[in-house]
Amino acid sequence: MHRVFIVHLQKKLESIGHHLINDGPFCERSGRNNGVIYFPTINVTKDSLIVGALESAFNEMDETIRQDNLRYDGVNGGCTVVVCLFLMGKVYIANAGDSRAVLCKKNSPSIPLSEDFTPETERSRIRHLASQNPHLLGGEFTSNEYLRRPVRKDLGNLILHRAAHMTGWIYKVATDEDLKFPVVFGHGKKSRVLATIGVTRGFGDHELCVYNSSIRIKPFLSSQPEVKILDLSAHSEKELEDQIIVMGTDGLWDVVANDTASSILFNTLDQYSETDKTRFKYRFLSAAQDLVMHARGKFGEKGWKMSDGSGKLLLLHHQLI
Amino acid sequence: MIFSIHFPVAATIDDISVFVIPLAGYKSELLDKEIKEIPLLDESSREKLFSRSSSDEKVVTDSSEIEEFNIKSLEPNENINTVWQEVEELEQKQLLPTAKIASATEEVKVIPEPQPQLSDSNTENPKNSVAVVLEPENDAQVTDPVKEVKNEPVVTKEQ
């Protein structure tokens, strides 16, 4: 998958390569009326071209997976994606899903380089989409949200609800329509779209349906990444020595806070002396493994769990799902 | 414009994958050795890649591009984390699968471990996560006309 994605991204970046080595802003032009017409009102920066290349590559990769899903056996499922592109003194971090990139700085708070895309964070987008396309709900779900999920004995009574276009609450008389399951249900890591999936962006999942039905999940999922830009050009190598990007899946970030990860990272690195070259070159490898092992916890009678409270929450969380 | 892909440092077990990218050293000798050119995949290559994957899931990744390390071979400092010692004990008891380090183009699948009834935290279907690091071979040093705040690494958002 990585290779195929690189091919998509490479083609996109090659298409804007001539812009990247010239000064912007860039304007669209047309050859109509036997001449060249410029549209100077639209300023296109190099950053926006690179962001566009990433977004386009994400979309094409998702489409490639869709086609391969139809063409080959066994090519199914989906995944979250986070990409770091180093280009011209900047890092472009493209994220679709709940994997995460974090900039860890020694003796300073960490800086998140991506935002998670979950039913919780994209509640508004999902509900608007459901409201505008009720046929996607298969008659089983509703785009409304309720303070308390209505039951049959509430029919005819006033209940608090909010429609997709609302952020506040309002009373309405409960009808059979209100007994349907909300398209986004639950909170935090337990939130789900169509009672099925807990992440709203990424690649694949073209074949995923609501359990025991033909209601497809994919129309509510997006492959569009959010792209953030980290400018390194103003910093010397010395300044960047204590700045490290940690990219991890939700298996890490569900149980390890950003600043905790940063602390583990630098604690490990501090154990390696530059004079011991044999060991020194493995310091980042060891740090990555320490983060993995910290997230995984210890193996006990009841399986893997962390020694502190967060691990217990993890196991409880898994059991509840 | 030729681009390359590398995983500077990666570790993965189960659904936990971590990639560490030191900003100061992403062009250092340590990391450059990992850089590999990515060939364009023609249709026949894709056919081969995916047809193999359908019969054997592990072959989605070119195995020649994966380096595997045993945790013990890394000689970690015992003071770093007591986890290391416990890992070795568990390995001796064969309770812990050997951790594998991915350095190429795909995360490594690890031998299944004894798990309590854990399900994926996001979906009822197993999901894999992907993390990719790209780096251009030739960085064209061009000044962006758009001024940016450069006192601290600045995170801007374009959506």
Side-chain angles (χ1 to χ4, degrees):
Chain A
M1 181 183 294
H2 297 92
R3 275 187 174 186
V4 178
F5 177 77
I6 295 300
V7 171
H8 286 307
L9 181 57
Q10 182 174 338
K11 286 179 180 175
K12 297 299 175 187
L13 290 173
E14 282 175 345
S15 72
I16 61 171
H18 60 288
H19 281 319
L20 300 182
I21 58 175
N22 292 304
D23 288 335
F26 310 102
C27 303
E28 188 180 3
R29 65 182 181 179
S30 168
R32 288 190 303 172
N33 299 328
N34 298 321
V36 177
I37 300 174
Y38 289 87
F39 302 95
T41 56
I42 303 174
N43 291 333
V44 180
T45 63
K46 292 188 179 80
D47 282 345
S48 65
L49 287 170
I50 295 169
V51 169
L54 280 162
E55 291 171 334
S56 182
F58 269 60
N59 183 66
E60 287 195 1
M61 184 68 217
D62 193 45
E63 175 61 18
T64 299
I65 292 174
R66 188 189 70 80
Q67 293 174 2
D68 288 342
N69 179 248
L70 299 173
R71 188 173 176 183
Y72 302 105
D73 292 334
V75 181
N76 50 30
C79 64
T80 64
V81 194
V82 60
V83 171
C84 282
L85 172 66
F86 288 79
L87 194 61
M88 296 191 300
K90 294 181 180 179
V91 188
Y92 298 82
I93 303 101
N95 177 56
D98 59 357
S99 291
R100 195 182 299 169
V102 174
L103 177 63
C104 296
K105 302 167 73 175
K106 194 170 188 178
N107 300 324
S108 297
S110 57
I111 300 174
L113 299 176
S114 65
E115 305 291 337
D116 296 351
F117 290 102
T118 65
E120 179 81 59
T121 60
E122 292 214 282
R123 188 179 292 267
S124 178
R125 180 181 72 82
I126 300 293
R127 291 176 61 223
H128 270 284
L129 185 61
S131 173
Q132 298 296 316
N133 302 275
H135 62 281
L136 297 175
L137 302 177
E140 301 287 340
F141 294 88
T142 174
S143 60
N144 287 342
E145 191 174 359
Y146 304 93
L147 195 62
R148 171 182 61 80
R149 195 180 167 202
V151 294
R152 186 156 293 281
K153 70 177 182 181
D154 291 322
L155 293 177
N157 296 329
L158 290 175
I159 57 172
L160 275 172
H161 93 296
R162 58 183 171 195
H165 59 274
M166 297 169 61
T167 57
W169 299 93
I170 192 169
Y171 279 105
K172 69 165 291 190
V173 176
T175 65
D176 284 337
E177 187 71 17
D178 298 310
L179 299 181
K180 293 177 179 175
F181 203 85
V183 64
V184 176
F185 189 74
H187 294 279
K189 289 297 291 183
K190 289 186 286 186
S191 59
R192 292 287 182 272
V193 173
L194 297 173
T196 303
I197 192 168
V199 64
T200 51
R201 298 200 191 188
F203 291 159
D205 282 329
H206 295 277
E207 77 293 342
L208 186 61
C209 290
V210 175
Y211 177 71
N212 209 21
S213 85
S214 59
I215 303 172
R216 294 178 61 244
I217 309 286
K218 186 61 179 178
F220 295 95
L221 308 181
S222 171
S223 61
Q224 182 184 358
E226 178 189 59
V227 184
K228 292 188 176 182
I229 304 168
L230 183 64
D231 189 356
L232 306 178
S233 60
H235 299 269
S236 65
E237 283 282 304
K238 182 69 177 175
E239 290 174 317
L240 293 174
E241 272 183 3
D242 291 333
Q243 298 188 27
I244 297 171
I245 293 177
V246 173
M247 300 164 69
T249 57
D250 61 335
L252 172 71
W253 302 116
D254 281 355
V255 295
V256 180
N258 294 357
D259 287 336
T260 305
S262 180
S263 175
I264 294 169
L265 178 70
F266 287 110
N267 282 343
T268 300
L269 296 180
D270 286 344
Q271 304 297 321
Y272 288 85
S273 168
E274 198 167 353
T275 56
D276 187 351
K277 294 191 181 302
T278 304
R279 289 168 49 80
F280 190 68
K281 66 180 181 180
Y282 289 124
R283 65 195 187 284
F284 295 116
L285 195 62
S286 183
Q289 290 188 330
D290 268 2
L291 284 167
V292 168
M293 297 309 294
H294 185 88
R296 193 186 209 199
K298 301 173 182 177
F299 190 80
E301 292 179 356
K302 296 182 179 180
W304 293 96
K305 76 173 183 181
M306 295 179 66
S307 57
D308 58 17
S310 59
K312 294 173 185 173
L313 286 176
L314 171 70
L315 288 174
L316 177 63
H317 167 65
H318 278 294
Q319 288 164 358
L320 287 174
I321 293 172
Chain B
M1 191 182 296
I2 300 173
F3 290 89
S4 56
I5 179 174
H6 68 273
F7 285 162
V9 172
T12 180
I13 294 177
D14 302 331
D15 63 342
I16 308 168
S17 295
V18 174
F19 304 85
V20 174
I21 309 168
L23 293 182
Y26 73 95
K27 287 188 175 179
S28 69
E29 182 183 350
L30 169 67
L31 303 176
D32 281 348
K33 70 174 185 179
E34 305 283 358
I35 295 178
K36 296 177 174 62
E37 289 187 11
I38 303 300
L40 286 170
L41 291 178
D42 56 23
E43 192 58 32
S44 63
S45 299
R46 284 176 46 72
E47 186 80 34
K48 184 180 178 184
L49 189 69
F50 286 104
S51 62
R52 289 166 68 192
S53 71
S54 63
S55 59
D56 183 353
E57 193 176 352
K58 290 187 294 185
V59 194
V60 172
T61 300
D62 184 348
S63 59
S64 66
E65 295 182 0
I66 299 176
E67 294 180 35
E68 298 180 4
F69 298 91
N70 188 304
I71 284 181
K72 287 186 288 189
S73 69
L74 300 177
E75 299 178 4
N77 189 326
E78 291 181 1
N79 297 324
I80 295 173
N81 196 329
T82 56
V83 169
W84 288 110
Q85 188 175 354
E86 293 167 22
V87 166
E88 292 189 2
E89 292 173 359
L90 290 169
E91 280 185 346
Q92 289 169 1
K93 296 177 184 175
Q94 296 184 333
L95 291 174
L96 178 69
T98 303
K100 299 182 178 181
I101 310 303
S103 63
T105 59
E106 184 65 279
E107 68 181 37
V108 178
K109 280 193 174 294
V110 181
I111 305 166
E113 58 164 283
Q115 282 273 19
Q117 299 298 317
L118 298 183
S119 61
D120 189 279
S121 59
N122 291 324
T123 175
E124 293 173 359
N125 293 335
K127 296 175 71 63
N128 296 323
S129 296
V130 174
V132 181
V133 180
L134 312 175
E135 183 185 15
E137 188 173 75
N138 300 315
D139 282 357
Q141 297 299 322
V142 181
T143 303
D144 193 321
V146 179
K147 291 182 179 178
E148 297 183 2
V149 180
K150 296 179 179 178
N151 294 329
E152 288 288 323
V154 177
V155 180
T156 56
K157 174 180 175 181
E158 293 206 11
Q159 175 88 337

